[in-house]
Amino acid sequence: MGPFNGDDGNNGNGNGNGTTASRPGTLSKPLADLMGSWDDFAFAPIRESTVSRAMTRRYFADLDAYAESDVVIVGAGSCGLSAAYTLATLRPSLRIAVVEAGVAPGGGAWLGGQLFSAMVMRKPADVFLAEVGVPFEDEGDYVVVRHAALFTSTVLARVLALPNVKLFNATAVEDLITRPVVAADGSTSVRVAGVVTNWTLVSMHHDDQSCMDPNTINAPLVISTTGHDGPFGAFSVKRLVSMRQVETLGGMRGLDMGAAEDAIVKGTREVVPGLIVGGMELSELDGANRMGPTFGAMALSGVKAAEEALKVFDLRKAQNDE
Ligand SMILES: Cc1cc2nc3c(=O)[nH]c(=O)nc-3n(C[C@H](O)[C@H](O)[C@H](O)COP(=O)(O)OP(=O)(O)OC[C@H]3O[C@@H](n4cnc5c(N)ncnc54)[C@H](O)[C@@H]3O)c2cc1C
């Protein structure tokens, strides 16, 4: 029996209380048959430890498998999710870990501007909506998704259904794993080779608790999409400054929708070997304008991040395996 086939190691019948359990593959009655007969209703039996093992066995198997990932995406906002969808779909052989500090993935894309509902995307970002199956109203130069949550929930559902992606939410990236790179002239820089993680709640208590060491994920390529500066935002580019790989951050500039969206998509790139930066995190690095509530650049920056990743993946993997 495989590890996920319901072998609990208790009394062999999967529920530990001596009753006969359904075998995997036994379907429940159709919903229509349940309705109207609630007096006779009962759930299938279960023992608490069965629930516990069903969760922990899978989570620890994932931690084991993804300790060596091909790509780590930091941040599951609109850019990170778009990158995950594109990369995992284009290259199903890649093992992709998405690390999200929040309990709820989706970043700032659950609402439009000023907490309104509608999400605006300028063309040609409509192609991404069509690709993932998000309905929209065509207004000519731009399209409107009725509710931003429809975009985020749809992309999220598509990403989570992909067999080569694992979302680790409530998990913060606390640092980057680096390897030294020595140039021909003897100068040294770094290549990013993975991430350092911790439960977000633990990360938030480093100042008042001691000895809470982190965990790690090795990967030849990291895509950082942690959003603009904030308690958790712009994480990787700020770390590049503190480890002296970037002199200073440009700082997000004032709002200019026209300039900002093109700049973010065009600028999405590998910033140092092994680290691709996209979405609003890039505005902090490049000193690009903010764009306000128009989200096409986030989706297409994610697509570009995936494309940049595929360009360099084989090289970075070879360097990582040396
Ligand atoms: C105050 C505020 C101002 C805004 N200003 C703008 C603006 O000027 N322009 C604009 O276009 N949009 C703005 N927005 C809207 C929206 O946030 C962004 O457009 C869009 O969501 C950015 O997408 P993103 O994927 O780059 O980042 P986000 O949607 O911010 O997603 C980043 C994700 O990364 C996660 N994360 C961050 N650090 C870490 C870490 N260390 N480890 C793991 N996960 C991490 C966060 O929890 C988050 O889920 C703003 C939103 C807010 C709340």
Side-chain angles (χ1 to χ4, degrees):
M1 180 172 280
F4 298 153
N5 288 0
D7 178 7
D8 305 283
N10 49 39
N11 66 1
N13 70 4
N15 57 49
N17 62 5
T19 58
T20 307
S22 303
R23 303 315 303 169
T26 312
L27 296 178
S28 299
K29 289 192 288 187
L31 200 57
D33 289 2
L34 284 179
M35 294 168 75
S37 54
W38 298 112
D39 287 346
D40 302 328
F41 172 82
F43 279 108
I46 201 157
R47 188 174 173 81
E48 287 77 1
S49 61
T50 304
V51 178
S52 179
R53 286 170 177 156
M55 296 183 294
T56 53
R57 192 180 282 166
R58 285 167 175 78
Y59 201 88
F60 286 100
D62 283 335
L63 280 179
D64 184 21
Y66 284 82
E68 284 285 354
S69 293
D70 292 314
V71 180
V72 175
I73 297 176
V74 190
S78 43
C79 182
L81 289 174
S82 304
Y85 172 80
T86 308
L87 190 57
T89 308
L90 288 177
R91 189 80 81 89
S93 60
L94 293 181
R95 180 181 292 168
I96 302 166
V98 180
V99 183
E100 166 53 52
V103 171
W110 290 106
L111 290 160
Q114 201 175 307
L115 312 185
F116 300 143
S117 306
M119 173 183 265
V120 175
M121 286 201 186
R122 289 194 290 157
K123 289 181 177 176
D126 55 315
V127 291
F128 186 76
L129 299 178
E131 162 72 24
V132 293
V134 178
F136 55 82
E137 297 159 33
D138 190 344
E139 297 278 4
D141 284 341
Y142 68 97
V143 300
V144 181
V145 180
R146 180 149 65 95
H147 201 298
L150 180 58
F151 166 80
T152 300
S153 59
T154 305
V155 181
L156 189 54
R158 297 294 301 272
V159 167
L160 291 175
L162 292 166
N164 53 331
V165 180
K166 168 65 188 179
L167 170 68
F168 294 98
N169 50 334
T171 305
V173 167
E174 291 192 334
D175 206 348
L176 301 170
I177 297 175
T178 61
R179 300 283 184 256
V181 176
V182 183
D185 65 2
S187 62
T188 57
S189 57
V190 300
R191 174 174 64 79
V192 172
V195 295
V196 178
T197 62
N198 218 325
W199 306 119
T200 302
L201 290 174
V202 172
S203 278
M204 292 166 75
H205 285 278
H206 283 307
D207 289 342
D208 53 58
Q209 300 285 326
S210 62
C211 302
M212 300 194 292
D213 261 343
N215 195 16
T216 55
I217 301 177
N218 283 109
L221 210 45
V222 173
I223 300 176
S224 191
T225 64
T226 65
H228 49 74
D229 202 359
F232 279 100
F235 175 80
S236 299
V237 295
K238 286 194 286 192
R239 190 68 181 98
L240 289 183
V241 174
S242 59
M243 62 169 87
R244 300 194 177 152
Q245 298 305 301
V246 168
E247 203 168 308
T248 181
L249 295 183
M252 186 171 66
R253 303 293 164 85
L255 193 151
D256 181 345
M257 286 189 189
E261 288 211 285
D262 295 358
I264 293 297
V265 176
K266 286 182 181 164
T268 298
R269 64 189 184 281
E270 192 182 40
V271 169
V272 301
L275 181 71
I276 292 167
V277 178
M280 289 311 287
E281 181 169 1
L282 196 65
S283 69
E284 305 286 358
L285 178 69
D286 288 351
N289 292 94
R290 62 184 295 184
M291 63 204 65
T294 169
F295 284 79
M298 298 303 113
L300 294 190
S301 173
V303 172
K304 176 116 186 292
E307 194 184 328
E308 298 295 310
L310 291 175
K311 276 188 210 161
V312 296
F313 177 74
D314 292 337
L315 172 64
R316 298 291 168 241
K317 181 159 171 50
Q319 292 170 329
N320 215 44
D321 292 345
E322 276 170 10

